[in-house]
């Protein structure tokens, strides 16, 4: 939350002497985005018997469109499964047995944000809207059968999700750099976790922070479950990419 407030304050306080948002070279253009990230997945629940962490280089593909002005529409679409499969191959092979406790937080159909600007001037814009997507979330259990009544260490679950989303954009002086932030609060729905597994169905805070320059961007993405116990997975990735 402190990061969100700081970003919003930067947008307001840096008003004077700034390049206008409309000067952003990709304003109103739908782009494909390709990036290379260093990413990590961590099971943050200390009560878990297994507490594995998975780190790797991640290839990332997404799409976005940023449009500026009152009531303007923008969106983003982040697809994780392709890059995650590539990263599994890179780190040891997809057929290799996964260690119990290894965390998972990815998607199959994507994380999608849709928003319309609710607050706008030439230098700063706040947009509000909706998030929709899916989450493959959990840890590798002790047993290969996810419905085993002996699986007391959790398993992976597949959830649909929807909830509010918000985006903020600001120009950084006359430097030619732009800040972009988006977040969402995802309410998950789907099959309840097994009674024999110490898990709960999470709601998920999904955030991405970005600095853009021409067609290049650097990005930090942090996604994690808000549950207090059971599977509590955090996904972080940091890297550089290009709009095409």
């Amino acid at each position: 939350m402190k990061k969100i407030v700081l970003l919003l304050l930067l947008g307001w306080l840096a008003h004077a002497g700034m390049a206008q948002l409309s000067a952003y070279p990709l304003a109103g253009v739908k782009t494909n985005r390709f990036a290379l990230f260093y990413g990590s997945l961590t099971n943050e629940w200390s009560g878990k018997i297994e507490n594995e962490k998975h780190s790797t280089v991640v290839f990332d593909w997404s799409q976005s469109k940023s449009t500026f002005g009152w009531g303007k529409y923008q969106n983003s679409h982040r697809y994780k499964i392709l890059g995650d499969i590539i990263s599994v191959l890179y780190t040891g092979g997809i057929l290799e047995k996964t260690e119990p406790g290894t965390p998972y937080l990815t998607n199959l159909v994507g994380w999608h944000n849709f928003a319309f600007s609710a607050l706008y001037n030439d230098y700063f814009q706040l947009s509000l809207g909706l998030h929709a997507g899916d989450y493959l979330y959990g840890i590798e259990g002790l047993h290969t059968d996810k419905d085993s009544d002996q699986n007391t260490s959790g398993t992976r679950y597949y959830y649909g999700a929807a909830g509010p989303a918000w985006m903020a954009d600001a120009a950084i002086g006359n430097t030619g750099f732009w800040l972009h932030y988006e977040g969402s609060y995802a309410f998950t729905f789907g099959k309840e976790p097994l009674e024999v597994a110490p898990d709960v169905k999470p709601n998920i805070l999904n955030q991405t922070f970005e600095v853009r320059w021409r067609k290049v961007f650097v990005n930090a993405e942090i996604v994690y479950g808000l549950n207090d116990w059971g599977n509590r997975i955090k996904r972080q990735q940091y890297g550089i990419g290009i709009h095409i």
Side-chain angles (χ1 to χ4, degrees):
M1 183 58 69
K2 290 182 179 179
K3 291 181 180 179
I4 299 173
V5 173
L6 177 61
L7 184 63
L8 296 178
L9 286 175
L10 285 173
W12 284 113
L13 296 176
H15 182 289
M18 294 178 65
Q20 296 186 1
L21 285 173
S22 58
Y24 177 54
L26 297 176
V29 178
K30 182 177 181 180
T31 62
N32 284 287
R33 298 147 44 90
F34 298 93
L36 193 64
F37 288 93
Y38 173 77
S40 66
L41 285 162
T42 309
N43 174 20
E44 294 195 318
W45 181 42
S46 60
K48 204 60 103 167
I49 296 173
E50 301 85 12
N51 193 23
E52 298 289 333
K53 180 178 180 178
H54 176 65
S55 300
T56 186
V57 175
V58 179
F59 167 78
D60 195 88
W61 168 49
S62 60
Q63 297 175 311
S64 72
K65 181 178 180 180
S66 294
T67 308
F68 305 110
W70 284 106
K72 293 295 185 178
Y73 170 68
Q74 54 182 320
N75 59 71
S76 72
H77 311 275
R78 289 176 287 153
Y79 306 100
K80 299 299 177 184
I81 190 64
L82 175 61
D84 289 348
I85 289 175
I86 292 174
S87 75
V88 169
L89 292 170
Y90 173 78
T91 56
I94 199 166
L95 298 179
E96 190 173 280
K97 182 173 176 58
T98 306
E99 290 293 327
T102 300
Y104 296 86
L105 205 177
T106 187
N107 62 50
L108 299 180
V109 300
W111 297 329
H112 309 280
N113 292 330
F114 312 90
F116 291 88
S117 63
L119 184 65
Y120 170 78
N121 62 34
D122 290 336
Y123 316 102
F124 176 79
Q125 177 170 288
L126 175 66
S127 302
L128 304 175
L130 297 173
H131 169 81
D134 65 333
Y135 291 83
L136 181 61
Y137 182 97
I139 69 165
E140 184 71 22
L142 288 175
H143 297 270
T144 56
D145 180 1
K146 70 176 184 177
D147 293 319
S148 169
D149 60 6
Q150 300 178 50
N151 190 344
T152 59
S153 299
T155 187
R156 289 166 283 173
Y157 304 96
Y158 182 71
Y159 301 117
W166 51 92
M167 300 183 183
D169 294 272
I172 307 176
N174 289 311
T175 62
F177 288 89
W178 283 265
L179 289 176
H180 177 79
Y181 163 78
E182 56 189 271
S184 63
Y185 189 100
F187 296 94
T188 58
F189 52 87
K191 184 179 179 180
E192 292 291 336
L194 301 171
E195 292 183 3
V196 295
D199 303 321
V200 296
K201 184 165 61 177
N203 293 327
I204 296 173
L205 183 62
N206 190 324
Q207 300 182 97
T208 180
F209 305 83
E210 193 163 290
V211 178
R212 299 172 173 176
W213 180 75
R214 298 184 180 179
K215 292 187 176 183
V216 178
F217 62 90
V218 292
N219 180 288
E221 183 177 280
I222 304 173
V223 184
Y224 55 92
L226 298 172
N227 46 313
D228 293 328
W229 62 281
N231 291 334
R232 189 168 68 192
I233 312 304
K234 185 174 186 178
R235 177 182 179 129
Q236 301 178 87
Q237 59 184 50
Y238 308 92
I240 186 169
I242 187 170
H243 296 262
I244 295 179

